[in-house]
Amino acid sequence: MEIWKIILTAFFSAAELFVLAKLMGHKQISQLDSFDYITGITIGSIAAEMATDLEEPWKPFVAMLVYGAVAYGLSVLTNKHPRIRKFVNGTPTIIMNGGKLYRRNMKKAKLDLSEFLMMCRQEGYFNLNDIQTAIFEYNGRLTILPVSSKRPANPTDFNLSPQPEYICTEVIMDGRILGENLSRMGLNEKWLQKQIEVQGYHNAKEIFLGICDDNHKLTFFGAE
């Protein structure tokens, strides 16, 4: 009987975590600000306690709901009120601009020179002379604007106007035809089967991934 209690409390703990994560959004699993980071760790700790508390599992259950409600409420407030967003999330800080490092801003961001240089290297900049502006974002990432002579070239630099490109659509995944995606593109399985045979395959089961662009050009990746 004891093992079933453990299984049930663990199951409900995992289910509640899933629901709270959905309510709070993808931000909890991407780049976190300080409050999201603390909330995520706390909710995870409470969930672990709930999974093993067989006597009064409702207490950590309620605590998780409270933390989830606070995080969700703050998310709504920060989306509607810029001043609250600025207070909760903080603001970006300019660390370097025009060849000048701002020591006061680095101190404000609690960032030392070694950390700054490491973050520059992580972004692909080993020479500070290649950087026009470096901004320390509130989520802890460094955003860099390179000097104009070091930025990547783009078609407008050569007076070119390439045609727009669109995201390719998956039509086969793990050997299974995705009929809904085909229909959305105005295609059907009969047409797809013909294209499969043209490229040397017998059927969709031999294909690990098949993608189709806006011009109905297919690319297949065979299953090994």
Side-chain angles (χ1 to χ4, degrees):
M1 190 65 182
E2 195 79 6
I3 186 66
W4 285 109
K5 287 185 178 179
I6 295 174
I7 292 172
L8 285 174
T9 52
F11 173 79
F12 285 121
S13 173
E16 189 179 8
L17 269 179
F18 177 78
V19 172
L20 290 176
K22 284 292 185 181
L23 288 174
M24 289 185 286
H26 294 291
K27 192 178 178 184
Q28 279 288 336
I29 55 176
S30 59
Q31 294 300 323
L32 307 176
D33 58 36
S34 57
F35 182 78
D36 289 321
Y37 178 75
I38 293 169
T39 303
I41 290 177
T42 304
I43 290 178
S45 299
I46 297 172
E49 182 181 348
M50 177 183 169
T52 55
D53 190 345
L54 306 182
E55 299 299 326
E56 296 178 310
W58 63 270
K59 289 183 178 180
F61 180 85
V62 172
M64 287 174 65
L65 289 179
V66 171
Y67 270 95
V70 171
Y72 180 76
L74 275 177
S75 176
V76 172
L77 286 174
T78 53
N79 283 333
K80 291 184 177 180
H81 304 286
R83 289 186 179 180
I84 296 178
R85 180 167 61 244
K86 182 178 178 180
F87 175 76
V88 174
N89 295 335
T91 55
T93 304
I94 297 176
I95 303 299
M96 179 179 178
N97 188 47
K100 183 179 180 181
L101 283 168
Y102 296 99
R103 179 182 294 182
R104 182 177 298 177
N105 288 357
M106 292 183 71
K107 187 176 181 180
K108 177 182 175 182
K110 297 179 176 58
L111 188 70
D112 60 41
L113 273 174
S114 297
E115 290 173 321
F116 172 68
L117 293 173
M118 177 192 71
M119 297 176 81
C120 289
R121 292 193 295 269
Q122 288 176 336
E123 294 298 318
Y125 293 89
F126 290 79
N127 187 344
L128 295 186
N129 293 320
D130 296 341
I131 298 174
Q132 174 64 36
T133 306
I135 302 174
F136 190 67
E137 306 290 354
Y138 66 82
N139 64 358
R141 293 289 301 271
L142 190 70
T143 303
I144 293 177
L145 174 69
V147 296
S148 56
S149 60
K150 294 295 182 178
R151 65 177 175 82
N154 60 66
T156 56
D157 293 329
F158 304 99
N159 295 320
L160 299 176
S161 299
Q163 294 297 316
E165 294 184 359
Y166 301 94
I167 297 175
C168 290
T169 302
E170 299 86 3
V171 293
I172 298 175
M173 291 188 72
D174 293 317
R176 299 178 62 183
I177 295 175
L178 305 179
E180 186 177 339
N181 288 357
L182 276 174
S183 299
R184 191 162 56 244
M185 298 184 72
L187 306 173
N188 55 52
E189 293 190 19
K190 184 177 180 180
W191 174 86
L192 179 61
Q193 180 60 38
K194 183 177 180 180
Q195 301 302 316
I196 290 173
E197 293 172 358
V198 167
Q199 296 201 28
Y201 297 94
H202 295 94
N203 52 57
K205 292 181 180 179
E206 299 177 2
I207 299 171
F208 184 57
L209 175 65
I211 55 177
C212 184
D213 64 17
D214 198 54
N215 295 317
H216 296 171
K217 180 182 177 181
L218 287 163
T219 303
F220 293 142
F221 299 89
E224 295 292 340

